[in-house]
Amino acid sequence: MYSTILVRYGELGLKGRNFDEFQQSLLDDIERRLGPCLDFSFDTTYGRIFIYPEGELLHIDDNIIRALKYTPGIVSFSPAIQLPADADLELLGDKGVELLPETAPEGELTFKVETNRANKKYPYDSMEISKKMGARVLREFEDSDQFDFEVDVHDPEILLEYDVRDNGIFIFTERYEGPGGLPAGTSEKALLLLSGGIDSPVAGWQVIRRGVQLTNLYFHTPPYTGERALEKVRDLTRVLARYNGPTDLYISNITGIQKQIWSNLPRSFSITLLRRMMMRIASGLAEELGAAGIVTGDSIGQVASQTLASLRTISAASELPLMRPLLTADKQDIISQARDIDTYSISIRPYEDCCTLFIPDNPITRPRLKRVKELEEDLDIDSLVTEALNSLQREQISSGKDTGQDE
């Protein structure tokens, strides 16, 4: 049935002199993800990648769909029948009516034919092809007991598409969405502060879509946060690894730091002081890893540590640029994206993270940097950061399961 998988990309096509480099990164990522479940070869033209399986596919396996669905840089893809570039209208009609029953449910159904004629040498224009193919469908199924097709050009239930190109004519009825953005690894590395909540996985996903390769850092406070909270973070990392590829998760035990701050310093400043310590630890790890920045799920005004004044004071503790892709996002939009990428149900598990513990009754919302630095004089910051970095645990997590652990 299907001889080709037609892959579309978006802003990748806007690249100039480095287009070939970006396209090759996408091809390499597709090969890495698709290789275990399909033997295939590639062809490319501007705006399209053609995946040719070795032998026709009667249907598209779920493993193939998942592999392409999670590939950054892919906007959409379609399993297609490929015909020669000079195929006549009769053959186009034959294959169209052959394909429709394979993908359309039985009974009454509205349809539309759309044609993209990139090959301007083909003797019929897009409108002519669409009209003739639509008429062919109506004639073919006029007396059918299984299918009752009716044309609806505004809101059809199924779309029969013809993509007329120099290297062939492609016929398809399905479009699967990909994540879009840029191919994996085409930007620099960054460190994601993964808390276990709703926001940080979405922030990580948005950065991955920009071609950034992520490493994750989770701050753990045993015994106040237990194994189930840590497993939640592992599961979130597994989901993000669908897009990011195998991902290192670093675990930092900051129980001692949190106790020192809570016991010895004004509790109204405890969140600000703790997050500044997190930034120092994250900066140290990021520099060791060669990461160019730190990613957080901060959103303006959502909690006390995310007022503009708090963000400024906390950011000052980082030696690297902070990326906050959700800074102006509405919470409901963040939740919607979390559902789309399958992290929401994990994030709402009722296991607290370190940022939800030791919360003061009246956290300061406009901490002045000068005052915070004065309070930090009572902390041995260099010693605490060094100890935290030396005690980091590393786990490598894939989209399927953990692949290794270092302590």
Side-chain angles (χ1 to χ4, degrees):
M1 172 66 70
Y2 299 112
S3 54
T4 311
I5 301 174
L6 189 65
V7 176
R8 306 170 191 86
Y9 51 80
E11 63 179 292
L12 168 59
L14 301 177
K15 297 297 178 182
R17 294 179 180 177
N18 56 355
F19 169 79
D20 289 343
E21 178 183 340
F22 276 78
Q23 179 177 253
Q24 189 59 52
S25 294
L26 180 54
L27 295 175
D28 291 344
D29 200 23
I30 291 173
E31 189 165 15
R32 178 180 66 82
R33 295 168 185 268
L34 203 55
C37 54
L38 183 69
D39 292 326
F40 64 94
S41 59
F42 282 126
D43 191 15
T44 62
T45 188
Y46 183 75
R48 298 288 188 273
I49 295 172
F50 305 96
I51 297 173
Y52 296 116
E54 290 190 6
E56 288 192 353
L57 301 175
L58 296 179
H59 69 281
I60 300 299
D61 186 88
D62 287 344
N63 290 327
I64 297 173
I65 294 173
R66 281 194 297 268
L68 296 175
K69 180 181 178 181
Y70 298 135
T71 303
I74 291 179
V75 171
S76 65
F77 60 95
S78 299
I81 295 172
Q82 182 177 1
L83 300 178
D86 59 353
D88 60 26
L89 291 181
E90 183 176 359
L91 183 56
L92 267 62
D94 289 344
K95 292 301 179 180
V97 298
E98 177 184 324
L99 178 60
L100 268 178
E102 297 297 325
T103 55
E106 295 184 5
E108 295 182 0
L109 196 70
T110 59
F111 82 102
K112 177 184 178 181
V113 179
E114 279 193 356
T115 303
N116 174 47
R117 180 172 165 261
N119 177 11
K120 303 306 180 185
K121 295 180 180 179
Y122 194 75
Y124 298 93
D125 65 25
S126 298
M127 188 64 71
E128 289 176 301
I129 296 171
S130 294
K131 285 182 177 180
K132 291 179 181 296
M133 295 304 102
R136 174 67 187 275
V137 169
L138 293 174
R139 288 197 307 272
E140 188 73 21
F141 295 99
E142 183 177 8
D143 299 321
S144 172
D145 295 329
Q146 290 180 289
F147 301 98
D148 183 9
F149 287 109
E150 182 179 339
V151 174
D152 185 342
V153 298
H154 300 294
D155 188 24
E157 293 172 282
I158 191 166
L159 194 62
L160 175 61
E161 297 189 65
Y162 290 81
D163 196 356
V164 181
R165 297 192 163 269
D166 292 339
N167 62 329
I169 300 173
F170 302 86
I171 309 171
F172 50 92
T173 58
E174 296 172 299
R175 283 184 182 241
Y176 297 94
E177 290 188 3
L182 297 174
T186 52
S187 298
E188 295 180 84
K189 299 178 182 178
L191 182 67
L192 170 66
L193 304 191
L194 187 62
S195 68
I198 296 171
D199 300 342
S200 56
V202 175
W205 173 73
Q206 290 205 7
V207 172
I208 291 169
R209 291 177 67 222
R210 305 311 304 160
V212 175
Q213 192 77 30
L214 286 184
T215 297
N216 297 348
L217 173 61
Y218 170 63
F219 292 101
H220 197 37
T221 54
Y224 306 103
T225 52
E227 183 62 28
R228 289 186 297 182
L230 180 54
E231 189 58 34
K232 179 168 78 166
V233 171
R234 291 188 181 112
D235 287 344
L236 289 170
T237 300
R238 288 186 186 100
V239 174
L240 291 178
R242 297 174 183 173
Y243 307 92
N244 193 53
T247 303
D248 283 344
L249 170 64
Y250 284 85
I251 302 162
S252 176
N253 184 334
I254 58 168
T255 304
I257 294 174
Q258 197 157 16
K259 282 184 173 180
Q260 281 199 39
I261 292 172
W262 187 255
S263 301
N264 301 318
L265 297 169
R267 291 186 176 181
S268 61
F269 283 85
S270 61
I271 294 176
T272 301
L273 292 166
L274 179 63
R275 287 185 65 83
R276 280 173 59 85
M277 290 299 297
M278 291 177 176
M279 287 299 170
R280 293 184 177 99
I281 296 167
S283 293
L285 175 59
E287 289 189 347
E288 288 182 13
L289 299 174
I294 297 170
V295 183
T296 76
D298 294 327
S299 179
I300 293 175
Q302 197 172 116
V303 294
S305 63
Q306 294 176 6
T307 64
L308 286 177
S310 290
L311 292 173
R312 175 182 180 273
T313 298
I314 291 166
S315 300
S318 173
E319 297 180 8
L320 292 174
L322 297 182
M323 290 176 277
R324 295 180 168 114
L326 307 183
L327 199 61
T328 60
D330 179 80
K331 186 65 175 183
Q332 291 305 313
D333 293 337
I334 297 171
I335 290 173
S336 177
Q337 289 189 22
R339 293 184 191 276
D340 289 342
I341 63 172
D342 297 330
T343 58
Y344 180 74
S345 61
I346 302 172
S347 294
I348 62 173
R349 292 177 191 169
Y351 312 130
E352 294 180 315
D353 60 58
C354 67
C355 293
T356 59
L357 299 168
F358 299 100
I359 296 178
D361 293 332
N362 297 296
I364 190 165
T365 58
R366 292 179 175 82
R368 291 184 296 112
L369 183 58
K370 181 179 179 181
R371 175 57 176 154
V372 171
K373 287 184 175 181
E374 289 172 354
L375 293 173
E376 288 177 337
E377 291 177 2
D378 292 333
L379 296 173
D380 187 353
I381 291 175
D382 290 343
S383 177
L384 291 171
V385 171
T386 299
E387 181 180 353
L389 291 172
N390 289 338
S391 62
L392 286 170
Q393 294 179 306
R394 183 184 70 89
E395 300 179 10
Q396 189 182 70
I397 294 178
S398 69
S399 57
K401 60 181 181 179
D402 301 4
T403 60
Q405 178 172 340
D406 290 342
E407 296 188 4

